[in-house]
Amino acid sequence: MALVVHILACLLGTGSWVAINGMWVELPLIVPRVPEGWYLPSYLTVLIQFANVGPLFVTLMHHFQPGRLSEPGTIYTIVSLGALACVLLAFFWQATSVVGGTTRSTALLILLFFLSLVDCTSSVTFLPFMLRFRARYLTTYFVGEGLSGLVPGLVALAQGVGVVRCVNGSLAGNASGTGLRAEYQPARFSVSLFFLFLGGMMGLCLAAFVLLNHLPAARQERAKERFQAQARVEAGAGLQAVVEERPMISPSESRRLSSCFGTGTYSWPQVAYIFLVLAWVNALTNGVLPAVQSYSCLPYGSSAYHLSATLAAMANPLACFFARALPPRCLLLLGLLTAAGSGFGCYILAMAALSPCPPLLHSHAGATLIVLCWVLFVGSLSYVKLMIGMILRDEGHSALVWCGAVVQLGSMLGALIMFPLVSVYSLFRSGDPCTTRCPS
């Protein structure tokens, strides 16, 4: 029966970001058929940042009026809203209206905002909910969160999104008839069907949450005593509840607990270090590097681009599977893995800045190196995020709420930094997937 709970926890994690991740991989098919064109990714980035009003509201309610906002009720609401938005997108994503004298994809943009609101708010609700279960299920949840990027990516590959064939210029309709030209292949099934698939994934997430709440096997896997003790602490018992559970506590240890975060395991400088690392890692993985993935990979060819996207998505859940191989609460290892992942990220950013003529351009070594860096970048920093999640789980419900808030804050800062660099100042230049001419 524990296997059933693991599957449900994985499905819940998959539903956390599957809708927005699905939107990103489907953009090559959507962009040519909407008035916004290639400005749509920029609009999507801005909508995601506006949607951070959701986690901000939940965090403030938890801080100023603890217990007022029902966690299960919030999750039921946002997951149902996400499933409904996906289904509506399947029928209305091409609907347009005139706004300020300009044709806009009004329905698409509005529904994208609601999807962003759902996924952003999941960061501050799903993690605290998983505190109710034994620690091993948090690892499974993070595996599911990794699959939220991998699953829609694999479906998009099966659909044929972004598949390029390099043909002679005359065959592609080029009047000059010289050189090679990229020709994108038609999709095997429609955008509407893909949105219905995303709606089905959100429906599975909702069903998994219902079963985690009501299935007897799931109730048996809850960490009842620990959750109830933390609920008493957060309801106002505070340090006194800790003293009652540990009657032999010394006065010096009582002062230490009152001056530290959560259970008192870590000092405030250590807590600040943990949250700074968390914000940095999410800024890189959710904001900075995704904005330049095409610039870093496409000069090496479309195969390098698709391999880096697919294998990097696979590295996320795989890193969670290997979670037991390394000590999960070692702050030194946390720093070393963060430094290593940041190093891989710096190489990727450098290749993007040098696009369309990066080093090792016309060699297999260059393509192999960029794909390997993407896999190691995502894998190492995914493990760091899992490690921090395990640390903060032991620090209580409030710690996981703040964990979700910092995740969103870091992601927002990374996206806001990259948006003007990519979309306003155009500091990065694209490489042609078929041929790139560089000075010798």
Side-chain angles (χ1 to χ4, degrees):
M1 298 309 294
L3 177 62
V4 174
V5 182
H6 277 294
I7 293 173
L8 295 177
C10 184
L11 287 174
L12 181 67
T14 303
S16 59
W17 279 92
V18 70
I20 290 300
N21 287 334
M23 275 300 308
W24 282 113
V25 300
E26 194 70 1
L27 283 178
L29 290 181
I30 297 175
V31 161
R33 300 164 67 179
V34 296
E36 290 77 13
W38 277 109
Y39 286 105
L40 183 62
S42 299
Y43 292 156
L44 179 55
T45 302
V46 173
L47 288 172
I48 291 173
Q49 305 321 314
F50 279 130
N52 279 303
V53 66
L56 176 63
F57 172 76
V58 172
T59 304
L60 291 177
M61 285 290 291
H62 173 78
H63 182 72
F64 292 107
Q65 294 187 356
R68 181 74 178 272
L69 201 62
S70 168
E71 207 163 74
T74 304
I75 296 176
Y76 277 124
T77 302
I78 63 173
V79 177
S80 300
L81 180 62
L84 178 62
C86 289
V87 173
L88 291 176
L89 274 172
F91 298 100
F92 300 108
W93 70 274
Q94 284 187 288
T96 60
S97 60
V98 178
V99 179
T102 306
T103 303
R104 297 290 184 190
S105 303
T106 314
L108 176 65
L109 294 175
I110 291 174
L111 291 171
L112 284 181
F113 171 76
F114 282 110
L115 283 183
S116 303
L117 185 68
V118 168
D119 288 4
C120 290
T121 309
S122 72
S123 296
V124 294
T125 52
F126 285 15
L127 274 175
F129 172 76
M130 289 305 300
L131 182 64
R132 304 182 181 209
F133 295 88
R134 297 174 183 176
R136 60 175 178 263
Y137 295 109
L138 187 61
T139 302
T140 307
Y141 170 84
F142 277 109
V143 170
E145 197 172 81
L147 292 175
S148 70
L150 176 62
V151 171
L154 292 177
V155 173
L157 283 178
Q159 185 185 16
V161 171
V163 175
V164 178
R165 184 179 64 171
C166 296
V167 298
N168 187 280
S170 59
L171 297 178
N174 187 355
S176 64
T178 59
L180 296 175
R181 181 174 174 180
E183 186 178 82
Y184 288 87
Q185 302 301 298
R188 296 184 180 91
F189 53 88
S190 67
V191 174
S192 296
L193 193 58
F194 184 83
F195 282 137
L196 289 176
F197 159 75
L198 294 181
M201 292 298 298
M202 294 301 295
L204 283 176
C205 175
L206 180 60
F209 181 68
V210 171
L211 292 174
L212 285 172
N213 268 301
H214 301 290
L215 194 68
R219 290 185 173 276
Q220 291 174 5
E221 294 299 310
R222 293 193 177 191
K224 295 181 180 178
E225 296 81 5
R226 187 175 184 277
F227 180 76
Q228 291 169 355
Q230 288 168 352
R232 289 196 301 270
V233 171
E234 293 180 359
L239 179 63
Q240 182 63 32
V242 179
V243 175
E244 289 174 359
E245 292 177 5
R246 299 169 59 187
M248 300 304 293
I249 191 170
S250 66
S252 62
E253 190 172 0
S254 176
R255 287 192 298 271
R256 182 181 67 83
L257 286 173
S258 63
S259 62
C260 293
F261 181 82
T263 62
T265 305
Y266 301 98
S267 64
W268 279 112
Q270 289 175 319
V271 171
Y273 164 75
I274 291 170
F275 278 120
L276 282 174
V277 168
L278 182 64
W280 170 257
V281 166
N282 281 279
L284 290 180
T285 56
N286 299 339
V288 176
L289 272 301
V292 298
Q293 184 167 19
S294 60
Y295 299 100
S296 67
C297 298
L298 274 180
Y300 296 103
S302 58
S303 296
Y305 176 70
H306 289 295
L307 276 175
S308 67
T310 304
L311 295 180
M314 292 176 64
N316 192 321
L318 285 176
C320 300
F321 275 121
F322 293 116
R324 299 181 183 276
L326 296 173
R329 292 169 181 81
C330 177
L331 297 187
L332 176 61
L333 179 61
L334 186 75
L336 291 175
L337 285 176
T338 302
S342 300
F344 296 126
C346 287
Y347 177 83
I348 293 168
L349 197 59
M351 295 305 101
L354 294 173
S355 176
C357 299
L360 304 173
L361 178 60
H362 299 293
S363 69
H364 292 297
T368 302
L369 192 56
I370 194 66
V371 172
L372 186 62
C373 281
W374 267 104
V375 171
L376 293 175
F377 165 75
V378 173
S380 58
L381 296 191
S382 295
Y383 187 87
V384 169
K385 289 191 280 188
L386 171 64
M387 189 186 302
I388 292 177
M390 296 298 292
I391 288 173
L392 295 180
R393 181 195 182 279
D394 292 340
E395 298 304 305
H397 183 274
S398 295
L400 284 181
V401 173
W402 283 107
C403 174
V406 172
V407 165
Q408 291 305 118
L409 176 63
S411 303
M412 180 181 68
L413 291 177
L416 291 180
I417 289 171
M418 294 306 295
F419 177 76
L421 298 180
V422 175
S423 301
V424 179
Y425 298 108
S426 302
L427 296 184
F428 300 90
R429 292 182 297 164
S430 300
D432 189 277
C434 289
T435 177
T436 301
R437 296 181 177 87
C438 295
S440 58

